[in-house]
Amino acid sequence: MAERQSPLEPEFHVGSHGNFERGVEILLTETRPGSIVQLAAWPGEEKKLMEAIRTVTGLALPDGAGGGSSDGVKAVFGFAPGKFTVTDEAEGLAVALTKAVTPAIGTVTDLSHGRTAIRIAGPKAEWVLSKFFAIDFALPAFPVGSGRSTMHHDVFAQIQRTGTDQFDIYVFRSFARSFWKALCHASEEVGYEVQ
């Protein structure tokens, strides 16, 4: 994998921070997937696009807005009608998807160079994220695998729940450092660790 410099580096301070007297309740890290790809289906072609994603990644998308799936290496979620974000730890996902998604089905856009992936995990992850986004992060409303797109001020974010107490957040690289600093500040109250 071609190593890209992280936009978080000047503010990425490994260790425990904030009020961690009662333990660390938040873990923050940058996940650095090799591939981040956005796909969009033409009207009426959504099922074909979903099948192409399943064929390439092995991940099935459930019907319904925001549905998604993750196997720990690859992840996929719908973030708008007919629009999906797909990630892989390895590079080359955009090439594989371009072969499977014909121009008659939809579009494939490689965003690996333009997005930063941040993971927040821990028993207070929902609580911290609720400080930023007007979304119900409770497990029944936001099940594992599902995703949402939203904004915090001018920062566009795509969020996928990848575990019971774990979320992956994709933001524009140009806003990543600012969002990271805000996320760290919001986590100080409960204690956080940067890994």
Side-chain angles (χ1 to χ4, degrees):
M1 178 170 97
E3 194 64 30
R4 293 183 298 271
Q5 181 176 352
S6 169
L8 306 180
E9 268 182 28
E11 299 298 330
F12 194 90
H13 306 294
V14 175
S16 298
H17 307 277
N19 181 16
F20 55 90
E21 293 173 359
R22 289 174 271 146
V24 171
E25 298 196 73
I26 293 291
L27 299 174
L28 297 174
T29 193
E30 181 183 10
T31 61
R32 293 184 167 211
S35 299
I36 303 172
V37 182
Q38 182 173 301
L39 297 99
W42 301 123
E45 301 297 322
E46 295 85 1
K47 296 284 187 200
K48 289 180 184 173
L49 182 64
M50 292 167 66
E51 180 57 27
I53 292 169
R54 188 199 59 75
T55 299
V56 171
T57 66
L59 299 172
L61 274 160
D63 278 337
S69 180
S70 174
D71 67 7
V73 175
K74 296 177 182 137
V76 59
F77 64 94
F79 66 90
K83 295 184 179 182
F84 305 91
T85 295
V86 187
T87 65
D88 190 345
E89 291 299 311
E91 291 183 348
L93 182 61
V95 172
L97 286 166
T98 300
K99 291 177 183 174
V101 178
T102 67
I105 295 173
T107 63
V108 178
T109 306
D110 187 354
L111 300 176
S112 305
H113 63 288
R115 298 289 190 274
T116 297
I118 297 169
R119 177 168 289 158
I120 179 170
K124 292 290 187 177
E126 290 178 11
W127 182 79
V128 170
L129 289 175
S130 293
K131 292 180 175 185
F132 292 91
F133 307 109
I135 292 176
D136 185 352
F137 287 100
L139 198 53
F142 200 146
V144 174
S146 64
R148 309 284 185 271
S149 63
T150 187
M151 291 189 69
H152 172 68
H153 294 287
D154 289 331
V155 179
F156 174 71
Q158 293 178 318
I159 306 166
Q160 183 178 31
R161 184 179 217 131
T162 52
T164 303
D165 291 324
Q166 179 175 288
F167 298 86
D168 289 350
I169 307 166
Y170 303 93
V171 297
F172 291 115
R173 284 179 63 85
S174 56
F175 288 108
R177 188 178 310 158
S178 173
F179 183 75
W180 175 262
K181 287 172 69 173
L183 195 57
C184 289
H185 181 68
S187 301
E188 286 178 347
E189 190 175 346
V190 294
Y192 69 99
E193 185 171 327
V194 174
Q195 297 179 331

